[in-house]
Each structure stands twice: as C-alpha cells, then as structure tokens.
Amino acid sequence: MSERIDFDQVREVIRIAAEAELVELDVESPSLKVRVKRAAPDPARDARRAAETDTEAAAGAHGHLETIAAPMVGTFYRAGSPDAPAFVREGDLVSEGQVICMIEAMKLFNEIQAEKSGRIARVMVDNASPVEYGQPLFLLDVTARA
Amino acid sequence: MSERIDFDQVREVIRIAAEAELVELDVESPSLKVRVKRAAPDPARDARRAAETDTEAAAGAHGHLETIAAPMVGTFYRAGSPDAPAFVREGDLVSEGQVICMIEAMKLFNEIQAEKSGRIARVMVDNASPVEYGQPLFLLDVTARA
Amino acid sequence: MFRKLLVANRGEIAVRVMRACREMGIATVAVYSEVDRGSLHVRMADEAFCIGPAPSAASYLNIPNIMSTAELTGVDAIHPGYGFLAENPRFAEIVTDCKIAFVGPPARAIELMGDKAAARAQMQKSGVPVIPGSAGVVAGVRDALTAAGGTGYPLVIKAAAGGGGRGMRIAQTPEDLPGALDSARREAEAAFGDGRVYIEKYLHEPRHIEVQVFADAHGTVLHVGTRDCSVQRRHQKLIEESPPPRMRDRITSALGRAAVRAAQVIGYVNAGTVEFLVDASENLYFMEMNTRIQVEHPVTEAVTGLDLVKEQIRVAAGEKLHFTGRDVEPRGHALECRINAEDPRSGFRPSAGTITAFVPPGGPGIRVDTHCYPGYAVPPNYDSLIAKVISWGRDRDEAIMRMRRALLEFEIEGIHTTIPFHLRVLDNAFFRRGEVYTNFVQRRLEMDAL
Amino acid sequence: MFRKLLVANRGEIAVRVMRACREMGIATVAVYSEVDRGSLHVRMADEAFCIGPAPSAASYLNIPNIMSTAELTGVDAIHPGYGFLAENPRFAEIVTDCKIAFVGPPARAIELMGDKAAARAQMQKSGVPVIPGSAGVVAGVRDALTAAGGTGYPLVIKAAAGGGGRGMRIAQTPEDLPGALDSARREAEAAFGDGRVYIEKYLHEPRHIEVQVFADAHGTVLHVGTRDCSVQRRHQKLIEESPPPRMRDRITSALGRAAVRAAQVIGYVNAGTVEFLVDASENLYFMEMNTRIQVEHPVTEAVTGLDLVKEQIRVAAGEKLHFTGRDVEPRGHALECRINAEDPRSGFRPSAGTITAFVPPGGPGIRVDTHCYPGYAVPPNYDSLIAKVISWGRDRDEAIMRMRRALLEFEIEGIHTTIPFHLRVLDNAFFRRGEVYTNFVQRRLEMDAL
C-alpha cells in the first residue's frame, strides 16, 4: 500500500559506518531515516553499554553523516565541463560555500555549494544523470575538519 | 480496516541488523518505523523470562464456566407454559440431558437439554426474547457436582 | 411497497439487494453464518441474525432458521439472491405459505425449469427451438442409441437435474456411448442425488448467448437485452458482455422473441434469464432458463440504465413493470469481469485468506460490486467470487480499455485473484475481435503464460 | 496521438487524467511534493518526480521544476488539471514554447477570461448577456456612483482578478458604496495583488447554471449540456447536478447558444465552462468562463456518456471532436457531492490527518473519484477535496436516493468529512423539489442541526 524501504540504501549506510569504524551513524533523507549503532571494540565500554539504557551517554565521539540533497529537478554534473576535473571526490574536505556540483535545469547550469564544511564520504549520483528535488547527492561527514 | 504493518520489511530490517551484528538499528520510512536492539544473550534473564511465561500459562488454564448456546434461531422460553415454573434458576444443579429451556421456532417448541452436568451460574437471556444461532443462553459451572 | 425485507444470501449479491432496498426506503434483515460475522452485508443491514455455522447446509440452506428469523423480525418479503435457496421451489413455497412475498418467480416455474429434461420437452412443445436430442430422459443404452440416431455424433449426455457441467459427457462414436452414459449417470447421482440423464446433439464452437426477461403479475413479459457469456472455464462464466459482439439484429430479435415465448408458456413472473447456444450458422437453441437474478445482471443495467433488482422488488410487490420495450434500447457497451479468490497460475485453486490491501478501481464508466474491504477474511466455505468489475464504454473498444485500466489499478493483497487471467483475455486478439466461442479459454489462452 | 503525458497536478484530478491516459495507451509522468510521496497519483504513474517541498509555491506552482521534469522525461504533452497552474497563461505559453502540447486552451484565451472585467466587456460587445454594471474597472467613488445609476441598488463590487468571492462586497445604498468599494479593493489587493474592482447589479436568489463547451482546433464549437451548481457555501460549490431541475428547454438552449457564442468570439479551443446566473424571471447573465476542466465534469459525463478528459487530450493532439450535438442528448439525471476533509459541525474547519478506514461506495449508478486509500495521510497544505461521489439515476429522485444510499455506506475514519452536510441537503424539502438558489445553504440549512 505504501512505498517500501530501500534496503540497498540501508545496507550502504551500514557499510559506510563499518568502513569508518563508527559506533553510531545517523543518515536522514526525505524518504528514509537510518540510525546504525555498532558494538564498540573496547570491552570496558561494552560493559558500560550493557548497563546503560541511555544511548546518548554511550555515544562518545562518533561520525555524523548528513546528506546534501538536490535543491531542484535537473541533470547532475560533477564537473563544470566534460573535460574538466570533478569539483569534489570522495574523501575530499570541503568548506562551506564551496561549489561541489552543478545541476542543469532548463538549459541553465546551477552551481550547488556545500552548506557546511566537512568530508565528502560518498557521491551518491552518477555524473549526467537526472535528479529529482530532495534526492541525496552526497554524504558529508560534518565531524571531519581540516 | 487501516493500513497494516508490512512485516516482511520488519523482518528484513532485523535480518540486516543481525547480518551486520549491530547493537542497534533504526530504520524509518514514511510508512514504517522500525527500531531493532540486539543484546548479548544473558542466561539469568532468559531463565527469569521462562519462569514468567510458565506462571502466565498456568493462570490462563483456569476457566471453569462454559456457555450453553442456542442451537437454532427462535424465541427463548424458560418455562413450558406461561404459568408453569421455570425449568431452571440460577444456582440450580442440572444433570446431562435435563431440559433447561425451550426455543420456539416455526410454531414448534423445541426442548433444549443440558449437554453436561453442572450448576447454572447465570441465565443470559430474558424469557420470551428472540435468540440467534449460537447466542449464549446459560453459563454453566461444570466443576460443580451434586 | 414492502417495509422490511430479508436477504437470504451472503456476499456481493446480498450487498447488491440491500443497496436496492436502501434506495427504496425498505429496511433490511441480514442472515449470516458464524464465519460471515464481519462481512459487509451484515454491517450494511438494519438487523442481522446468525443462522448457523460455516457450512451452507447448516446456515444459508437452513430453511427453518431463515424462516424463524423472518418471523422474529417481521419482514414482509424475502430476496433469495442467486445460488443457495434461489432456485429451490420448496423454499419459494414455504415463504409464500408464511404470507411473505418471495422476490422471484412462482414455485412451479422454478420447479419446471429446474428439471432440465422436462423444461426442454416443454420448450420443444411450445415451439422454442431446442438442441436435437432425446425426448426427455434416456432409460438405458438402447434408448440412448435411438436418440443418437436423431442427433448424430458427436453428442453430449447431460444430467436432468444438472448444471455447471456436472454429469456431462461427450460421446464421439456409438462405441463411446455406453461408457459415457454410465459415468454421466454416476456423476449426476453423486452431484445431485438424481442419476437421470438426457442426450443432445453436440455443437461445434457455439456461443453462449442469454436473454434477460422480465414479467410482471399483470401479464406483461419483456426482454431486456442479450448477454454474451462465451468466456467460460469448465462451464463457469468468467466474463460477460452486452450487447454480444458481431451479432446481427435479426438474430438478437429472434432470441428476444424466443425468450419471451419461453417465459410466457410457463406463466413466468419476475426476472429470469433464458440461455441459448448460437452456432456458426446462427441457429439458436434453448439450453435452460435461470429462474433468478444472474451474477452478470449489471452488464444489462449498464447498457439499459435499469435497476433490475429494484424492478424485481416492485414486481414482487405486485406493481407493473416500470419500463417499456423502448426504454431498454441498449446504449454503448458493457463488460463484467468476475474477480474470484482463485490462483489462475495454479489451476484456479481457491485462495481463501485475509485481504491485507483492497483498493477498488473508480473513475468514469467503472462499477464495482463487492462485499470485501481491507482486513476482510475470505472464508473457504463458499463461492470464490469476491468482486465484480463492470465497465461501460461508448463502444466495445472503450469498454475493453476501461476494464483493462480498472483491473490494472485494482489493488488486492493477501490472496490470489483471477485478475491476471482477465488481463490476458482482454489483450487476446480473438477476444478483441469478438471471435469468442464457449471453447475460447481452452483453445485460445495458454494458461501457463499467465 | 501522444506517447507520454505529464500531469502537472495532484489529488483526484491527477488520478482522473492518468486513468484517461491509460485507456488511451499513453504513458504518464507524475510530479509530486514531498508530502505527496504516498499519494495515489504517484503510485499510478509510470514515472514520478518529486518537484519540491509541501508548499504549492515551491512545488505544484514551481514552473522550472515541472518543465525540467517534462524535459528529462521527454513528454509530448502536459495536462494541468484544475487549480494550480491550470489558468496561468504564462505556464501555457512556456509549455507551448517548449514544443510540448498544453492540454487546454490557447494562452490568450486563458488571459482574456482571467481578467474578469475585460471578459465581461468582451462578452457584452459580442452580444452575450451580462449583468448590468460598470463598463470595466471603476476608478473611484464618483466612477462607482455613475455605474450605480445603471445598476440600481443593491449592487455588488467584484475584484477584476477575482474568484471564489474574495474581494467581493455588496452595497445596499449609495451611502454604503464608498466603504464597500474601499474594503473590496483592499481585500482584492491582498488576495490577488491586484486591487482593481468592477460593479454589477445584485441579483436576488439567482441560480448558478453553467454550460460545458467543447471546441476543437478545426472550428467546431459545441455545448455539452448544462450543470446546476447553486448549492454553494461561501461561493464554494458543494453539490452539482445535470440537467438543472425545473428548467425549461427554451432557457437551456438559450444558455447553450450564449455559451457557444462566448467560446467562438475568443477563438476558444478545448474544454471550457461558461458560468451564468439565471434569475427568478429566467433572465440569464454571463458571469465568467473557466478555461479548464471543472471539478464537476463527471456529472456531464454521467448523463452524456462522453469522456471529457479523453476528449481534451484528443483535441490537444489536433483531432476533431469525436461527437456531434446529437451524441450529447442527456440521459437520466446525475449528481455530484464533493467530499471534503472538513468538519461541517465546526464551521467546515479543515480536518487533515491519516485516514484509518476508507471503504468507498459501489453498486449501480455510483462513481467515485478519489486519490485516497486506507492509511493515506491527508496533508494540510492543499485543497480539502478528498473524494467525489457521482450518482446517476433514470430520474432526479433515483439519483438523489442513490447518492443518499452511497454516502450512508461510505466509510471514512480518522478525519472529519462533509458527508453529514450532504446528507442533510439530500433530505431537505426545498432541495428535493429543486428549489435551490445560490443562497440555499445559508437560507435553508440549519448548520447547528448537523
């Protein structure tokens, strides 16, 4: 009766959390909200966790990824022109206001800027593919700082 | 009548959490919100659980009142004629096969007999009122014996 | 007009009758079996009485409990719907004896048409064309061989008490005859407790065409258009339409005249359906008469604008027909698809269970008759019909495209339905051209491709 | 014919247009706001694009995102439905400039009829009767007083850019005039960013009668019957019917002729509705023309058998009208009740929320158009229309009884709806007699009795 959860996205979030060895990871998009908690390697903290019911306390320093979503309908481009290098790559640090991609709509190329500083954890859309409003384009680790 | 939970999606979330050996996994979509928490097995607690369910089960097996239901549609009469005494009253002991009421259907008076012995705990229908098939007429305490 | 009417049925037809009553300001009484407590016809009724456990024999066929309910609730009419007690002359008689109006024909008409062999003889006597065959029941093999002389081969053996293809056998040659006769009898005996059979000429690729007739108690008998029910599987109708495609007016009127005659000679009253077979050379043969409202009556309602159930009730109340021959000029084209709780991908196996999602189609030219809703549990005890989708269009193509559109948007989850089957038929080239005979399903559809 | 069509709308009308497309074999593209992700029009479309957040201005009125979607999906036609961008001439122009067919009239026709004062002047010039009043916009009080000389009192001040009664004031005497003029202007300025107003004679107990017209690009203009929309609350239509009760053929044809003339003089193409007021002495006055498909178009479809939306698409594709004047002879009578998510028991306050139970009515003569289903959450951001129930009957009484029956069986839980209001209207003696004027709701219904 209603749209189904996109389990590929859920798995992807978990994979990212594992890669980054995070204890906790929240990702939220208009249609999906995922929170992952992974058992920490430290047995001492493990014990504490078992005792504690409050997750906040358990969550020490953990990465927090935010999605950068498409602000308009159009075609997503990673670079300013076919032969130019991509504005950003996975792992790059970006600062607020930096251009990270372009969306072409009605023959107009619109520069999309990062609204926060952080590290590009993942590029979620292929170059030159259509995007709808609110579609996640990047995952940004806002805890990463230069 | 309302939209039902899609349990396949719930199971899928749990499966994913298990595969990834997560401590906790929340997934939220517009139509469904699932929170999974997985903990290391705790034998002590498991034992408590088992004990609890046992006692519940024991308590559940204590119903001793049985209903005598109408075997046909018709008019319920407690006595053989307007001026005759009622076949049975609350508190009376009845034995299997004893006539306890009559149901008039299509101008025919059908004697209804007790299928078990016991004590009439309650008469559930007023005299001369219509009854439908399967409607409870009496509550019978089958543990009471003469 | 009646004040209160009891519907001695369940499912979509019980809902259909109650809708008619509500539109006429008549109070309704529902009867139901223990498994039908949550059914829509119970929720829609002004009063509802449980009359027995799930098995039909103990509930919907339980005449004493139904009549007791009628008495206790003080109804002045009973509508039997179709199936169950609808064609039981004894029930019609009992209802009438209780001074309650039976919304259907007189018991004697039900009885006559219920005996297929007697009906056939009666029709033949009255000049209604019948399929060449035995004069009534065949006593034994010699009798059968004599009849075969008149019909030629192949021939078909049918149960006198029959219906739905049970107790039916085809004999290709004189050698087949004894064996076919034997098994037909045994099956008839088992199915109807009546082993009598008769013989008919076998027709190659006939069409199943039926005529809706209506008679009031004042001597007026009218035919209300024809329906083509050739899309059948094992003699079970699956799709009906009106008017029949590619049928010349000359044949349509001949069918109408024959049907009216059939109704007249037996003093018929109320709604009835006369079923004919029409062969390749446009010969028409009387098959049987159904003395009740049909499952497929909505296609006739769609093209004529009449409300056949309301008309049934008016006629039962002694009123004259509220329409004339002119009113029943068909407008446009209508189709009905029967949505059954069956799995067409595995031999149409019944698929009872709880309907988890149910979103019926809507929009222009679409009518849905159903007793289902989200969360409704389809019991395994009864007929598998869960919904009827009726589409109307200015022409047959529009009606077909509308039906296709409607079935594509019909969401039913939790059980299997015959919707995939219907979609295949609607896309079939022969069906699109209207080249449909009673063997269409077995000959033109690859079921495994479903 | 088109291969792929984008529906620039939401709700029941988006579903309606997609049904037409499916019946014509045209692929569909839905656009939706973030709150409409689960809406039926999204699930029904072949492709769906999110075009913005909940507020209309950022989504359903977001021309760039809609046109980008049209480009990315490669559609060859756009249907605007009603409301939102349907009567925005700029949108029609942009669509056409992109070499995409706009399923509606030419931009200039939308623009002309969008300016109520200009439209009125144009009609007057063309001999279409209009309500006596000012020649176009009134500049100031002196101007207004002059106009008042022609109209007499009471008179009504209307916004040139108006609609839905906003920027409308009644002046009983010359003394009222300056104040009324003032507030009308302020309200118009606030509502439409355009404070221009004009003056009309005030009519006592008029009926709201509208004519459905249809024109193709080959010069044919036909009227497709009339609708009575006098049951209104604060200028919002609640019940529509066709044909209008107690209306003489002479008036009906006069309305038809006037409507066709109105469409002809502005070179109109596609479906449109010309709204008239008809006073007690059967004078008819042009009010305005709606240059789009109407919410109430199904009542016309019910009595004519036409599919107006399919016809819109054919005309947009350059085809000639598929019907003639003879085809539109109305058959029977039809009503439409608008089911809104509002609480009639507390001033029709909007009642957004999740629909926990939703069982639409069915059976003979009933059509339901809706985008809702069990579990659907009605967002607070848009029009409160959640379903339209259309009933058809052989006569007005049958149509009324059917509508009553259908609304009684319509189960909607979780939100309030206007169903109780409609049931009161259907039982009202004046309504039953067809004595309905635009003041019916305030004059004949005691709302507190709901």
PDB file of all heavy atoms in Angstrom, chain A residues 88-107:
ATOM      1  N   VAL A  88      34.485  17.775  -6.696  1.00  0.00           N
ATOM      2  CA  VAL A  88      34.910  17.078  -5.470  1.00  0.00           C
ATOM      3  C   VAL A  88      34.928  15.573  -5.701  1.00  0.00           C
ATOM      4  O   VAL A  88      34.222  15.050  -6.557  1.00  0.00           O
ATOM      5  CB  VAL A  88      33.932  17.382  -4.290  1.00  0.00           C
ATOM      6  CG1 VAL A  88      34.011  18.845  -3.877  1.00  0.00           C
ATOM      7  CG2 VAL A  88      32.502  17.005  -4.668  1.00  0.00           C
ATOM      8  N   ARG A  89      35.780  14.902  -4.909  1.00  0.00           N
ATOM      9  CA  ARG A  89      35.852  13.444  -4.948  1.00  0.00           C
ATOM     10  C   ARG A  89      35.623  12.921  -3.544  1.00  0.00           C
ATOM     11  O   ARG A  89      35.751  13.666  -2.559  1.00  0.00           O
ATOM     12  CB  ARG A  89      37.228  12.991  -5.443  1.00  0.00           C
ATOM     13  CG  ARG A  89      37.457  13.229  -6.919  1.00  0.00           C
ATOM     14  CD  ARG A  89      38.668  12.458  -7.431  1.00  0.00           C
ATOM     15  NE  ARG A  89      38.641  12.345  -8.892  1.00  0.00           N
ATOM     16  CZ  ARG A  89      38.719  13.386  -9.721  1.00  0.00           C
ATOM     17  NH1 ARG A  89      38.839  14.595  -9.198  1.00  0.00           N
ATOM     18  NH2 ARG A  89      38.660  13.210 -11.033  1.00  0.00           N
ATOM     19  N   GLU A  90      35.304  11.631  -3.432  1.00  0.00           N
ATOM     20  CA  GLU A  90      35.104  11.047  -2.107  1.00  0.00           C
ATOM     21  C   GLU A  90      36.382  11.191  -1.296  1.00  0.00           C
ATOM     22  O   GLU A  90      37.471  10.946  -1.813  1.00  0.00           O
ATOM     23  CB  GLU A  90      34.670   9.581  -2.226  1.00  0.00           C
ATOM     24  CG  GLU A  90      33.280   9.463  -2.843  1.00  0.00           C
ATOM     25  CD  GLU A  90      32.790   8.022  -2.934  1.00  0.00           C
ATOM     26  OE1 GLU A  90      33.521   7.125  -2.475  1.00  0.00           O
ATOM     27  OE2 GLU A  90      31.671   7.806  -3.456  1.00  0.00           O
ATOM     28  N   GLY A  91      36.232  11.613  -0.056  1.00  0.00           N
ATOM     29  CA  GLY A  91      37.398  11.802   0.805  1.00  0.00           C
ATOM     30  C   GLY A  91      37.853  13.244   0.861  1.00  0.00           C
ATOM     31  O   GLY A  91      38.526  13.663   1.803  1.00  0.00           O
ATOM     32  N   ASP A  92      37.447  14.048  -0.146  1.00  0.00           N
ATOM     33  CA  ASP A  92      37.842  15.458  -0.142  1.00  0.00           C
ATOM     34  C   ASP A  92      37.235  16.200   1.042  1.00  0.00           C
ATOM     35  O   ASP A  92      36.110  15.916   1.449  1.00  0.00           O
ATOM     36  CB  ASP A  92      37.373  16.165  -1.427  1.00  0.00           C
ATOM     37  CG  ASP A  92      38.181  15.715  -2.644  1.00  0.00           C
ATOM     38  OD1 ASP A  92      39.076  14.861  -2.466  1.00  0.00           O
ATOM     39  OD2 ASP A  92      37.889  16.205  -3.750  1.00  0.00           O
ATOM     40  N   LEU A  93      38.007  17.127   1.554  1.00  0.00           N
ATOM     41  CA  LEU A  93      37.464  18.049   2.553  1.00  0.00           C
ATOM     42  C   LEU A  93      36.864  19.226   1.784  1.00  0.00           C
ATOM     43  O   LEU A  93      37.475  19.716   0.833  1.00  0.00           O
ATOM     44  CB  LEU A  93      38.559  18.541   3.490  1.00  0.00           C
ATOM     45  CG  LEU A  93      39.000  17.572   4.596  1.00  0.00           C
ATOM     46  CD1 LEU A  93      40.241  18.086   5.291  1.00  0.00           C
ATOM     47  CD2 LEU A  93      37.856  17.383   5.586  1.00  0.00           C
ATOM     48  N   VAL A  94      35.652  19.646   2.167  1.00  0.00           N
ATOM     49  CA  VAL A  94      35.056  20.815   1.512  1.00  0.00           C
ATOM     50  C   VAL A  94      34.697  21.827   2.584  1.00  0.00           C
ATOM     51  O   VAL A  94      34.433  21.472   3.740  1.00  0.00           O
ATOM     52  CB  VAL A  94      33.784  20.440   0.717  1.00  0.00           C
ATOM     53  CG1 VAL A  94      34.118  19.460  -0.384  1.00  0.00           C
ATOM     54  CG2 VAL A  94      32.721  19.866   1.648  1.00  0.00           C
ATOM     55  N   SER A  95      34.719  23.084   2.207  1.00  0.00           N
ATOM     56  CA  SER A  95      34.341  24.126   3.172  1.00  0.00           C
ATOM     57  C   SER A  95      33.034  24.756   2.726  1.00  0.00           C
ATOM     58  O   SER A  95      32.684  24.754   1.536  1.00  0.00           O
ATOM     59  CB  SER A  95      35.450  25.176   3.234  1.00  0.00           C
ATOM     60  OG  SER A  95      35.835  25.540   1.920  1.00  0.00           O
ATOM     61  N   GLU A  96      32.323  25.276   3.698  1.00  0.00           N
ATOM     62  CA  GLU A  96      31.019  25.878   3.440  1.00  0.00           C
ATOM     63  C   GLU A  96      31.115  26.861   2.277  1.00  0.00           C
ATOM     64  O   GLU A  96      32.063  27.646   2.195  1.00  0.00           O
ATOM     65  CB  GLU A  96      30.535  26.597   4.707  1.00  0.00           C
ATOM     66  CG  GLU A  96      29.158  27.208   4.559  1.00  0.00           C
ATOM     67  CD  GLU A  96      28.732  27.889   5.858  1.00  0.00           C
ATOM     68  OE1 GLU A  96      29.314  27.566   6.906  1.00  0.00           O
ATOM     69  OE2 GLU A  96      27.817  28.743   5.798  1.00  0.00           O
ATOM     70  N   GLY A  97      30.135  26.748   1.348  1.00  0.00           N
ATOM     71  CA  GLY A  97      30.112  27.692   0.218  1.00  0.00           C
ATOM     72  C   GLY A  97      30.866  27.199  -0.997  1.00  0.00           C
ATOM     73  O   GLY A  97      30.744  27.759  -2.087  1.00  0.00           O
ATOM     74  N   GLN A  98      31.635  26.117  -0.823  1.00  0.00           N
ATOM     75  CA  GLN A  98      32.424  25.609  -1.951  1.00  0.00           C
ATOM     76  C   GLN A  98      31.491  24.922  -2.960  1.00  0.00           C
ATOM     77  O   GLN A  98      30.567  24.216  -2.574  1.00  0.00           O
ATOM     78  CB  GLN A  98      33.457  24.623  -1.399  1.00  0.00           C
ATOM     79  CG  GLN A  98      34.344  24.007  -2.472  1.00  0.00           C
ATOM     80  CD  GLN A  98      35.361  23.050  -1.854  1.00  0.00           C
ATOM     81  OE1 GLN A  98      35.715  23.170  -0.676  1.00  0.00           O
ATOM     82  NE2 GLN A  98      35.805  22.084  -2.642  1.00  0.00           N
ATOM     83  N   VAL A  99      31.730  25.153  -4.268  1.00  0.00           N
ATOM     84  CA  VAL A  99      30.918  24.502  -5.305  1.00  0.00           C
ATOM     85  C   VAL A  99      31.261  23.020  -5.343  1.00  0.00           C
ATOM     86  O   VAL A  99      32.435  22.639  -5.430  1.00  0.00           O
ATOM     87  CB  VAL A  99      31.184  25.137  -6.685  1.00  0.00           C
ATOM     88  CG1 VAL A  99      30.452  24.340  -7.761  1.00  0.00           C
ATOM     89  CG2 VAL A  99      30.734  26.593  -6.694  1.00  0.00           C
ATOM     90  N   ILE A 100      30.268  22.156  -5.251  1.00  0.00           N
ATOM     91  CA  ILE A 100      30.531  20.712  -5.225  1.00  0.00           C
ATOM     92  C   ILE A 100      29.936  19.985  -6.433  1.00  0.00           C
ATOM     93  O   ILE A 100      30.299  18.851  -6.734  1.00  0.00           O
ATOM     94  CB  ILE A 100      29.999  20.088  -3.914  1.00  0.00           C
ATOM     95  CG1 ILE A 100      28.525  20.463  -3.716  1.00  0.00           C
ATOM     96  CG2 ILE A 100      30.842  20.548  -2.726  1.00  0.00           C
ATOM     97  CD1 ILE A 100      27.913  19.851  -2.481  1.00  0.00           C
ATOM     98  N   CYS A 101      29.007  20.647  -7.136  1.00  0.00           N
ATOM     99  CA  CYS A 101      28.465  20.034  -8.356  1.00  0.00           C
ATOM    100  C   CYS A 101      27.611  21.072  -9.085  1.00  0.00           C
ATOM    101  O   CYS A 101      27.447  22.186  -8.600  1.00  0.00           O
ATOM    102  CB  CYS A 101      27.623  18.806  -8.036  1.00  0.00           C
ATOM    103  SG  CYS A 101      26.089  19.220  -7.159  1.00  0.00           S
ATOM    104  N   MET A 102      27.087  20.681 -10.232  1.00  0.00           N
ATOM    105  CA  MET A 102      26.176  21.554 -10.959  1.00  0.00           C
ATOM    106  C   MET A 102      24.919  20.763 -11.302  1.00  0.00           C
ATOM    107  O   MET A 102      24.963  19.548 -11.508  1.00  0.00           O
ATOM    108  CB  MET A 102      26.829  22.064 -12.246  1.00  0.00           C
ATOM    109  CG  MET A 102      27.989  22.988 -11.968  1.00  0.00           C
ATOM    110  SD  MET A 102      28.004  24.356 -13.106  1.00  0.00           S
ATOM    111  CE  MET A 102      29.081  23.737 -14.350  1.00  0.00           C
ATOM    112  N   ILE A 103      23.788  21.471 -11.337  1.00  0.00           N
ATOM    113  CA  ILE A 103      22.551  20.852 -11.816  1.00  0.00           C
ATOM    114  C   ILE A 103      22.032  21.681 -12.970  1.00  0.00           C
ATOM    115  O   ILE A 103      21.814  22.893 -12.840  1.00  0.00           O
ATOM    116  CB  ILE A 103      21.493  20.755 -10.692  1.00  0.00           C
ATOM    117  CG1 ILE A 103      21.966  19.789  -9.606  1.00  0.00           C
ATOM    118  CG2 ILE A 103      20.161  20.280 -11.267  1.00  0.00           C
ATOM    119  CD1 ILE A 103      20.992  19.612  -8.466  1.00  0.00           C
ATOM    120  N   GLU A 104      21.888  21.023 -14.120  1.00  0.00           N
ATOM    121  CA  GLU A 104      21.381  21.727 -15.293  1.00  0.00           C
ATOM    122  C   GLU A 104      19.864  21.611 -15.330  1.00  0.00           C
ATOM    123  O   GLU A 104      19.312  20.510 -15.241  1.00  0.00           O
ATOM    124  CB  GLU A 104      21.975  21.116 -16.572  1.00  0.00           C
ATOM    125  CG  GLU A 104      21.591  21.883 -17.830  1.00  0.00           C
ATOM    126  CD  GLU A 104      20.782  21.047 -18.801  1.00  0.00           C
ATOM    127  OE1 GLU A 104      21.166  19.901 -19.055  1.00  0.00           O
ATOM    128  OE2 GLU A 104      19.733  21.543 -19.261  1.00  0.00           O
ATOM    129  N   ALA A 105      19.198  22.765 -15.395  1.00  0.00           N
ATOM    130  CA  ALA A 105      17.749  22.780 -15.482  1.00  0.00           C
ATOM    131  C   ALA A 105      17.341  23.834 -16.491  1.00  0.00           C
ATOM    132  O   ALA A 105      17.823  24.973 -16.422  1.00  0.00           O
ATOM    133  CB  ALA A 105      17.141  23.089 -14.122  1.00  0.00           C
ATOM    134  N   MET A 106      16.485  23.468 -17.446  1.00  0.00           N
ATOM    135  CA  MET A 106      16.038  24.426 -18.466  1.00  0.00           C
ATOM    136  C   MET A 106      17.235  25.109 -19.125  1.00  0.00           C
ATOM    137  O   MET A 106      17.266  26.322 -19.233  1.00  0.00           O
ATOM    138  CB  MET A 106      15.127  25.486 -17.830  1.00  0.00           C
ATOM    139  CG  MET A 106      14.001  24.946 -16.981  1.00  0.00           C
ATOM    140  SD  MET A 106      12.821  23.993 -17.942  1.00  0.00           S
ATOM    141  CE  MET A 106      12.245  25.225 -19.073  1.00  0.00           C
ATOM    142  N   LYS A 107      18.235  24.318 -19.486  1.00  0.00           N
ATOM    143  CA  LYS A 107      19.428  24.832 -20.196  1.00  0.00           C
ATOM    144  C   LYS A 107      20.310  25.722 -19.319  1.00  0.00           C
ATOM    145  O   LYS A 107      21.282  26.285 -19.804  1.00  0.00           O
ATOM    146  CB  LYS A 107      19.016  25.620 -21.451  1.00  0.00           C
ATOM    147  CG  LYS A 107      17.927  24.957 -22.277  1.00  0.00           C
ATOM    148  CD  LYS A 107      18.513  24.149 -23.412  1.00  0.00           C
ATOM    149  CE  LYS A 107      17.414  23.429 -24.201  1.00  0.00           C
ATOM    150  NZ  LYS A 107      16.701  22.430 -23.361  1.00  0.00           N
TER     151      LYS A 107
END
